[in-house]
Amino acid sequence: MAFDIDMIKAVYAKFPSRIAAARKAVGKPLTLSEKILYSHLWDGDATSTFERGKSYVDFAPDRVAMQDATAQMALLQFMQAGKPTAAVPSTVHCDHLILAKEGAKDDLRNSLTASGEVFNFLESVSNKYGIGFWKPGAGIIHQVVLENYAFPGGMMIGTDSHTVNAGGLGMVAIGVGGADAVDVMAGMPWELKFPKLIGVKLTGKLNGWTSAKDVILKVAGILTVKGGTGAIVEYFGSGAISLSATGKGTICNMGAEIGATTSTFGYDDSMDRYLRATDRADVADLANEIKEHLTGDDEVYANPEQYFDQVIEINLDELEPYINGPFTPDRATPVSKMREEAEKNGWPMDVEWGLIGSCTNSSYEDLSRASSIAQQAIDKNLKTKSEFGINPGSEQVRFTAERDGLLGIFEDLNATIFTNACGPCIGQWERAGNNTRVNTIVHSFNRNFSKRADGNPNTHAFVTSPEMVAAIAISGNLGFNPLTDTLTNENGEQVKLDPPVGSELPAKGFAVEDNGYQAPAENGGSVEVKVKPDSKRLQLLEPFTPWNGKNITGAKLLIKAFGKCTTDHISMAGPWLRFRGHLDNISDNCLIGAINAYNESTNLVKNQLTGEYGPVPATARAYKAAGVPSIVVGDHNYGEGSSREHAAMEPRFLGVTTVLVKSFARIHETNLKKQGMLGLTFANEADYDKVQEDDTINFLDLDQFTEGKPLNIEFVHADGSKDVIVANHTYNKAQIGWFKAGSALNLIKEENKKG
């Protein structure tokens, strides 16, 4: 029996009429994405069409999911909203705060000691507000959601950019900041700019060494890290139907790496099989009753160029394995070209670690295919040349894989089995002997930004499929091509690895003794949530100060960031995760990874009050203490990567009023708006070069801040000369209200008092 089955029944009951209304309003056949969006309008049946990429629309998501690192700030905000319980089904998943070091048993035990205060806080808040709680060790949020909560045609939001993984079961699942989650849990509409639509037609069928991961690795190479911004990617065609549900999930998961709002697939037999295998036959039966509504209309897929803003076609018969990286997930290299590319660029060829897992590739199918390569190594008398680590995606996957002998195969090849958690994927990895040396690792994760996995800026991390990770770890060489190359075994013989084989679903079915789920108290009113005043890990929030209605003047430049500036650069994860519930403490990592355009150094900026150079957070605190506002200037796709709203809350807390960039990643721009900041873009990108290190900055017409009207900002240079820069914005009337109130949460609280 599925969780929240009554909610799913209610969604499906209104689906046909909602889609009929949408088809009438739009006046043409509908994509799957449009069907789900129009069927989840806050105001009910559609009465008009929305303009893609322009119209702001209020939606009513079906559920909310939060992981432990981001849930802390989301729930600290929700506690201020004045609501007795979450208005929609919501869950918390403890997967980020478990450090990978020795192995599953020791690492889990150590995490319960190190982060027990945070886990207890999340458990008590979940109990109080009717939120489902998944204990540490239960699994990675997105795999657990796919196994338990995702359903075709549904809409969900989650406080993690890889919430999009649920598109593998035909959802529109979108990563957001915690403030957006608060809106939905508080029973309010959730706003999103109506997305553009990118169609990806898949033909043929995967074969040999290729896997679903290679589809998205190739798409990332085509669209780049910003090519999907503001768009939903919808996959269709015979090739899409041939993929497993977890394979679809892998593709949707990494859609976050192209900036996509989300990605999705139409309902088909693979989803039916997965729902039944995960004890949700009731959902499959309901979906089958309306299955014609749970995929795009036939006319759309027959003539996709008429219905999508962009169409890409990939023939799976011709696809080869890809290895993407280093330092960015869109640098796509087919395995046949990797040796040549690596030698040309001087990338280290010796691979020190091969890592399988993360929310992207930790399903039973992933482990079974990789274990088939590991078994071949054992049978052919090969040893791994690289160290080898495995993170199962959930306790259900782990228990079943252990029962079926898959984990034993990895262990026979000297692999370390880590906890069912994110681990190295998010920098939660205490890598033995790690320093700043130049080295190479390969993994099946989704991101490979500098420092992300192990904190070492010189670790060249490459993204590939689990089976390719296994093959490369056995060879120990980045240029190894298992399709053509041989290996020398312990007897001196030349042997070749055969293509991987695996099981879409376990033949004996899934099994688990304790899946790690804890239901909330039936009546949480008496539950007391305690936060110690002297806690280093948790801190109750103080409301941000509302805007005074005047122009911001006398502001100083905190940093002009050069090049790629992701949320990892703005608010690092890894060891900083321990402060995700303490805004003051975690603000000490604010922008420490961003490259200063004036000296090409990290965490070294000029304090204009003293003329000295120092850390970014300390400089921001000095401006704040002196009552001097500050601004941040950035490059293209600023805020790429994770949904972590800390990357917006920290600058806000430290007195930054404005982030002015060439372009934003979607989630980060929204997070800035939610926290009462100005997220602006250069009307003329060349004006980025006019910003000087010693500038004093004055807004000339912020007191006339209105929808659709650019702002004029004066940059007064040290020599007394001035440049007036025009800044565009995308704020609508409601979002300007957030800015005026000091944050969206402040506005919620005001409206609650009135209500």
Side-chain angles (χ1 to χ4, degrees):
M1 173 70 77
F3 286 95
D4 310 308
I5 190 64
D6 290 338
M7 176 269 285
I8 297 172
K9 288 179 179 177
V11 171
Y12 283 173
K14 66 188 178 186
F15 227 80
S17 62
R18 288 279 179 96
I19 290 173
R23 189 173 282 113
K24 181 179 178 182
V26 174
K28 62 181 180 64
L30 299 173
T31 65
L32 169 64
S33 304
E34 289 172 312
K35 289 181 180 181
I36 298 175
L37 292 170
Y38 278 105
S39 68
H40 284 83
L41 296 177
W42 178 260
D43 291 328
D45 286 356
T47 57
S48 62
T49 186
F50 297 108
E51 190 172 357
R52 297 177 190 173
K54 291 191 177 179
S55 300
Y56 280 100
V57 184
D58 286 340
F59 292 101
D62 302 313
R63 66 176 314 111
V64 173
M66 298 164 278
Q67 41 93 336
D68 50 355
T70 53
Q72 296 170 66
M73 200 57 71
L75 294 177
L76 284 165
Q77 291 177 86
F78 182 70
M79 288 166 63
Q80 294 189 47
K83 298 292 184 179
T85 188
V88 302
S90 303
T91 51
V92 168
H93 304 257
C94 296
D95 62 354
H96 275 56
L97 299 178
I98 301 171
L99 183 69
K101 183 180 180 182
E102 305 293 343
K105 186 176 180 181
D106 290 342
D107 292 347
L108 181 57
R109 183 178 63 247
N110 292 337
S111 77
L112 293 173
T113 300
S115 295
E117 179 186 8
V118 172
F119 295 144
N120 290 338
F121 166 76
L122 294 173
E123 181 182 3
S124 64
V125 177
S126 297
N127 249 330
K128 184 172 183 65
Y129 295 107
I131 297 168
F133 181 71
W134 290 80
K135 297 181 288 187
I140 304 172
I141 176 173
H142 311 303
Q143 179 64 29
V144 172
V145 165
L146 200 69
E147 292 176 8
N148 295 277
Y149 297 115
F151 66 98
M155 173 185 270
M156 69 175 287
I157 62 170
T159 61
D160 189 283
S161 56
H162 293 106
T163 299
V164 295
N165 189 80
L169 274 178
M171 292 194 88
V172 161
I174 300 174
V176 299
D180 279 357
V182 170
D183 283 352
V184 176
M185 290 192 293
M188 299 174 65
W190 173 64
E191 183 187 76
L192 177 72
K193 186 182 288 184
F194 203 87
K196 294 183 178 181
L197 300 178
I198 298 173
V200 179
K201 182 178 181 180
L202 302 179
T203 60
K205 192 172 184 178
L206 295 172
N207 61 87
W209 281 89
T210 55
S211 72
K213 184 64 165 279
D214 299 305
V215 175
I216 186 58
L217 293 178
K218 182 173 180 63
V219 169
I222 295 169
L223 288 176
T224 77
V225 291
K226 60 182 180 180
T229 301
I232 293 179
V233 181
E234 185 171 325
Y235 292 83
F236 64 94
S238 59
I241 293 171
S242 72
L243 299 170
S244 68
T246 51
K248 291 177 170 74
T250 290
I251 293 169
C252 293
N253 182 292
M254 268 197 74
E257 274 52 73
I258 57 173
T261 301
T262 192
S263 304
T264 195
F265 286 79
Y267 179 67
D268 60 21
D269 288 345
S270 72
M271 296 184 192
D272 178 284
R273 292 193 297 272
Y274 189 75
L275 287 167
R276 295 183 190 282
T278 51
D279 198 27
R280 290 176 288 169
D282 45 357
V283 177
D285 291 341
L286 290 169
N288 286 331
E289 291 176 8
I290 60 164
K291 62 183 179 181
E292 71 273 19
H293 299 306
L294 299 176
T295 189
D297 288 338
D298 290 343
E299 300 95 325
V300 169
Y301 295 156
N303 301 285
E305 290 81 5
Q306 296 179 25
Y307 301 98
F308 292 98
D309 299 291
Q310 180 180 356
V311 177
I312 296 167
E313 186 167 343
I314 297 173
N315 184 346
L316 301 185
D317 289 335
E318 300 171 356
L319 187 65
E320 69 173 296
Y322 271 76
I323 304 172
N324 286 24
F327 306 126
T328 187
D330 61 345
R331 185 167 186 167
T333 304
V335 63
S336 61
K337 303 291 185 184
M338 178 48 80
R339 181 173 296 281
E340 174 188 341
E341 192 72 9
E343 290 175 348
K344 180 176 71 177
N345 288 282
W347 299 333
M349 298 300 291
D350 290 340
V351 176
E352 296 193 9
W353 269 90
L355 296 155
I356 293 172
S358 88
C359 58
T360 319
N361 280 111
S362 55
S363 66
Y364 184 90
E365 180 180 30
D366 291 325
L367 296 185
S368 69
R369 284 175 64 86
S371 70
S372 76
I373 303 302
Q375 184 64 61
Q376 284 188 60
I378 295 167
D379 295 342
K380 296 179 180 184
N381 204 17
L382 292 164
K383 303 287 186 185
T384 53
K385 297 289 192 343
S386 311
E387 294 190 74
F388 202 16
I390 313 290
N391 281 87
S394 70
E395 175 57 17
Q396 179 167 267
V397 165
R398 188 210 65 78
F399 188 94
T400 306
E402 183 176 57
R403 179 201 67 188
D404 294 348
L406 304 186
L407 298 188
I409 294 170
F410 290 124
E411 288 174 322
D412 288 345
L413 209 59
N414 293 319
T416 300
I417 309 298
F418 292 120
T419 315
N420 315 318
C422 302
C425 178
I426 58 162
Q428 281 288 72
W429 182 26
E430 190 169 325
R431 184 178 173 188
N434 188 44
N435 49 36
T436 58
R437 72 183 184 285
V438 177
N439 74 102
T440 288
I441 64 174
V442 295
H443 58 57
S444 69
F445 310 157
N446 38 51
R447 293 190 178 132
N448 56 347
F449 304 143
S450 174
K451 299 185 181 181
R452 181 173 173 90
D454 61 4
N456 179 357
N458 295 314
T459 292
H460 292 57
F462 293 85
V463 182
T464 189
S465 67
E467 44 267 60
M468 283 296 297
V469 170
I472 293 172
I474 291 164
S475 74
N477 190 281
L478 181 63
F480 176 66
N481 182 356
L483 284 73
T484 58
D485 298 347
T486 59
L487 295 168
T488 305
N489 70 6
E490 294 295 291
N491 301 328
E493 302 163 332
Q494 293 298 301
V495 297
K496 191 169 182 290
L497 295 173
D498 300 319
V501 294
S503 302
E504 175 186 341
L505 297 163
K508 300 177 188 175
F510 284 107
V512 68
E513 289 181 351
D514 177 8
N515 65 4
Y517 175 71
Q518 183 174 302
E522 288 189 18
N523 182 359
S526 61
V527 176
E528 185 177 0
V529 179
K530 293 182 179 179
V531 174
K532 294 185 294 184
D534 61 346
S535 172
K536 303 298 183 187
R537 300 290 299 270
L538 297 164
Q539 180 187 48
L540 296 176
L541 295 174
E542 295 290 333
F544 290 131
T545 304
W547 178 48
N548 62 11
K550 300 178 181 179
N551 281 317
I552 297 169
T553 58
K556 300 298 183 183
L557 178 70
L558 177 60
I559 186 172
K560 179 179 174 180
F562 173 76
K564 185 186 281 285
C565 191
T566 72
T567 50
D568 279 77
H569 294 85
I570 304 168
S571 175
M572 289 183 179
W576 289 96
L577 284 173
R578 68 188 186 277
F579 295 133
R580 282 283 179 87
H582 198 293
L583 184 54
D584 195 355
N585 284 346
I586 199 168
S587 292
D588 283 333
N589 80 358
C590 183
L591 285 157
I592 64 175
I595 298 173
N596 182 353
Y598 302 109
N599 56 20
E600 297 191 6
S601 298
T602 58
N603 204 25
L604 190 66
V605 295
K606 187 174 184 178
N607 180 336
Q608 291 190 50
L609 303 180
T610 65
E612 298 176 353
Y613 284 82
V616 181
T619 305
R621 289 182 188 274
Y623 291 149
K624 181 180 179 181
V628 176
S630 58
I631 81 165
V632 170
V633 171
D635 215 316
H636 278 296
N637 208 31
Y638 184 90
E640 169 194 343
S642 169
S643 69
R644 67 191 69 156
E645 65 185 339
H646 298 77
M649 295 186 79
E650 291 173 32
R652 177 74 165 105
F653 178 75
L654 294 177
V656 176
T657 65
T658 307
V659 179
L660 173 63
V661 300
K662 293 179 182 177
S663 65
F664 282 108
R666 175 190 64 85
I667 300 176
H668 187 64
E669 182 181 19
T670 300
N671 286 345
L672 291 171
K673 292 178 178 180
K674 286 281 186 176
Q675 300 304 331
M677 296 182 71
L678 292 170
L680 310 175
T681 55
F682 290 100
N684 179 2
E685 290 183 4
D687 286 346
Y688 170 91
D689 297 321
K690 294 179 180 178
V691 178
Q692 298 179 21
E693 190 173 29
D694 294 307
D695 284 347
T696 297
I697 302 132
N698 304 307
F699 280 78
L700 302 180
D701 50 6
L702 182 60
D703 54 353
Q704 302 162 42
F705 190 22
T706 54
E707 190 173 358
K709 181 179 182 293
L711 294 169
N712 291 280
I713 310 172
E714 178 185 70
F715 286 74
V716 183
H717 308 309
D719 63 2
S721 63
K722 301 176 182 179
D723 279 301
V724 175
I725 288 175
V726 179
N728 292 332
H729 69 83
T730 60
Y731 286 74
N732 59 25
K733 184 177 179 181
Q735 294 167 350
I736 291 172
W738 302 341
F739 174 72
K740 289 179 176 179
S743 72
L745 182 59
N746 286 356
L747 206 57
I748 291 175
K749 290 165 67 177
E750 286 177 20
E751 292 172 356
N752 245 5
K753 290 174 184 175
K754 294 174 186 175

Short mmCIF file of all heavy atoms in Angstrom, two decimals, residues 546-553 678 699-705 739-740:
data_model
loop_
_atom_site.label_atom_id
_atom_site.label_comp_id
_atom_site.label_asym_id
_atom_site.label_seq_id
_atom_site.Cartn_x
_atom_site.Cartn_y
_atom_site.Cartn_z
N PRO A 546 12.89 44.77 7.22
CA PRO A 546 12.19 45.24 6.01
C PRO A 546 12.91 46.40 5.35
O PRO A 546 13.68 47.12 5.99
CB PRO A 546 10.81 45.67 6.55
CG PRO A 546 10.66 44.96 7.85
CD PRO A 546 12.05 44.85 8.42
N TRP A 547 12.65 46.58 4.06
CA TRP A 547 13.20 47.72 3.32
C TRP A 547 12.58 49.00 3.84
O TRP A 547 11.38 49.07 4.14
CB TRP A 547 12.89 47.52 1.83
CG TRP A 547 13.35 48.62 0.93
CD1 TRP A 547 14.59 49.20 0.91
CD2 TRP A 547 12.59 49.27 -0.10
NE1 TRP A 547 14.64 50.17 -0.07
CE2 TRP A 547 13.43 50.23 -0.71
CE3 TRP A 547 11.29 49.12 -0.57
CZ2 TRP A 547 13.00 51.03 -1.77
CZ3 TRP A 547 10.86 49.91 -1.62
CH2 TRP A 547 11.71 50.86 -2.20
N ASN A 548 13.39 50.06 3.90
CA ASN A 548 12.90 51.34 4.43
C ASN A 548 12.25 52.23 3.38
O ASN A 548 11.85 53.36 3.67
CB ASN A 548 14.04 52.11 5.12
CG ASN A 548 15.18 52.48 4.16
OD1 ASN A 548 15.04 52.33 2.95
ND2 ASN A 548 16.29 52.93 4.72
N GLY A 549 12.16 51.72 2.16
CA GLY A 549 11.50 52.49 1.11
C GLY A 549 12.38 53.49 0.41
O GLY A 549 11.93 54.19 -0.50
N LYS A 550 13.64 53.57 0.81
CA LYS A 550 14.54 54.57 0.25
C LYS A 550 15.58 53.92 -0.66
O LYS A 550 15.79 52.71 -0.64
CB LYS A 550 15.26 55.33 1.37
CG LYS A 550 14.32 56.07 2.32
CD LYS A 550 15.11 56.75 3.43
CE LYS A 550 14.18 57.47 4.41
NZ LYS A 550 14.93 58.11 5.52
N ASN A 551 16.26 54.75 -1.43
CA ASN A 551 17.35 54.26 -2.27
C ASN A 551 18.49 53.75 -1.40
O ASN A 551 18.80 54.35 -0.36
CB ASN A 551 17.88 55.37 -3.18
CG ASN A 551 16.99 55.59 -4.38
OD1 ASN A 551 16.54 54.65 -5.00
ND2 ASN A 551 16.72 56.86 -4.71
N ILE A 552 19.09 52.65 -1.81
CA ILE A 552 20.30 52.15 -1.14
C ILE A 552 21.46 52.99 -1.64
O ILE A 552 21.70 53.10 -2.85
CB ILE A 552 20.52 50.66 -1.47
CG1 ILE A 552 19.37 49.81 -0.93
CG2 ILE A 552 21.86 50.18 -0.90
CD1 ILE A 552 19.37 48.38 -1.43
N THR A 553 22.19 53.61 -0.72
CA THR A 553 23.31 54.48 -1.11
C THR A 553 24.54 54.16 -0.27
O THR A 553 24.45 53.58 0.81
CB THR A 553 22.95 55.97 -0.93
OG1 THR A 553 22.60 56.19 0.45
CG2 THR A 553 21.79 56.37 -1.82
N LEU A 678 17.88 41.84 -3.66
CA LEU A 678 17.74 42.25 -5.05
C LEU A 678 18.62 41.36 -5.92
O LEU A 678 19.85 41.38 -5.79
CB LEU A 678 18.15 43.71 -5.23
CG LEU A 678 17.23 44.75 -4.59
CD1 LEU A 678 17.87 46.12 -4.63
CD2 LEU A 678 15.87 44.77 -5.28
N PHE A 699 21.98 53.42 -5.59
CA PHE A 699 20.78 53.21 -6.40
C PHE A 699 20.12 54.57 -6.64
O PHE A 699 19.97 55.36 -5.70
CB PHE A 699 19.81 52.27 -5.70
CG PHE A 699 20.17 50.82 -5.83
CD1 PHE A 699 21.17 50.27 -5.05
CD2 PHE A 699 19.51 50.01 -6.73
CE1 PHE A 699 21.52 48.94 -5.17
CE2 PHE A 699 19.84 48.67 -6.87
CZ PHE A 699 20.85 48.13 -6.08
N LEU A 700 19.72 54.82 -7.88
CA LEU A 700 19.15 56.12 -8.22
C LEU A 700 17.62 56.13 -8.20
O LEU A 700 17.01 57.19 -8.01
CB LEU A 700 19.65 56.56 -9.60
CG LEU A 700 21.18 56.67 -9.74
CD1 LEU A 700 21.55 57.12 -11.14
CD2 LEU A 700 21.76 57.61 -8.69
N ASP A 701 17.00 54.96 -8.41
CA ASP A 701 15.54 54.94 -8.51
C ASP A 701 14.91 53.69 -7.90
O ASP A 701 13.84 53.26 -8.32
CB ASP A 701 15.11 55.07 -9.98
CG ASP A 701 15.83 54.10 -10.90
OD1 ASP A 701 16.57 53.24 -10.39
OD2 ASP A 701 15.65 54.19 -12.13
N LEU A 702 15.57 53.13 -6.89
CA LEU A 702 14.98 51.98 -6.20
C LEU A 702 13.69 52.38 -5.51
O LEU A 702 12.79 51.54 -5.32
CB LEU A 702 15.98 51.40 -5.19
CG LEU A 702 15.53 50.16 -4.42
CD1 LEU A 702 15.22 49.00 -5.36
CD2 LEU A 702 16.60 49.74 -3.40
N ASP A 703 13.57 53.65 -5.14
CA ASP A 703 12.35 54.12 -4.48
C ASP A 703 11.16 54.10 -5.44
O ASP A 703 10.02 54.33 -5.02
CB ASP A 703 12.55 55.52 -3.90
CG ASP A 703 13.05 56.53 -4.93
OD1 ASP A 703 13.37 56.13 -6.06
OD2 ASP A 703 13.11 57.72 -4.58
N GLN A 704 11.43 53.79 -6.71
CA GLN A 704 10.34 53.65 -7.70
C GLN A 704 10.27 52.20 -8.21
O GLN A 704 9.85 51.95 -9.34
CB GLN A 704 10.59 54.60 -8.86
CG GLN A 704 10.70 56.06 -8.46
CD GLN A 704 11.36 56.91 -9.53
OE1 GLN A 704 11.09 56.75 -10.73
NE2 GLN A 704 12.25 57.81 -9.12
N PHE A 705 10.72 51.26 -7.39
CA PHE A 705 10.81 49.84 -7.76
C PHE A 705 9.44 49.31 -8.17
O PHE A 705 8.52 49.22 -7.36
CB PHE A 705 11.35 49.07 -6.55
CG PHE A 705 11.74 47.64 -6.82
CD1 PHE A 705 12.05 47.18 -8.09
CD2 PHE A 705 11.82 46.73 -5.77
CE1 PHE A 705 12.42 45.87 -8.33
CE2 PHE A 705 12.20 45.42 -5.98
CZ PHE A 705 12.50 44.99 -7.26
N PHE A 739 10.36 41.78 -1.10
CA PHE A 739 11.49 42.68 -0.88
C PHE A 739 11.11 43.77 0.13
O PHE A 739 11.88 44.06 1.06
CB PHE A 739 11.92 43.30 -2.21
CG PHE A 739 12.98 44.36 -2.05
CD1 PHE A 739 14.29 44.01 -1.73
CD2 PHE A 739 12.67 45.70 -2.21
CE1 PHE A 739 15.27 44.99 -1.57
CE2 PHE A 739 13.64 46.68 -2.06
CZ PHE A 739 14.94 46.32 -1.73
N LYS A 740 9.96 44.34 -0.05
CA LYS A 740 9.54 45.42 0.85
C LYS A 740 9.39 44.92 2.29
O LYS A 740 9.74 45.63 3.24
CB LYS A 740 8.22 46.02 0.37
CG LYS A 740 8.35 46.84 -0.91
CD LYS A 740 7.00 47.40 -1.35
CE LYS A 740 7.14 48.29 -2.58
NZ LYS A 740 5.82 48.83 -3.03
#
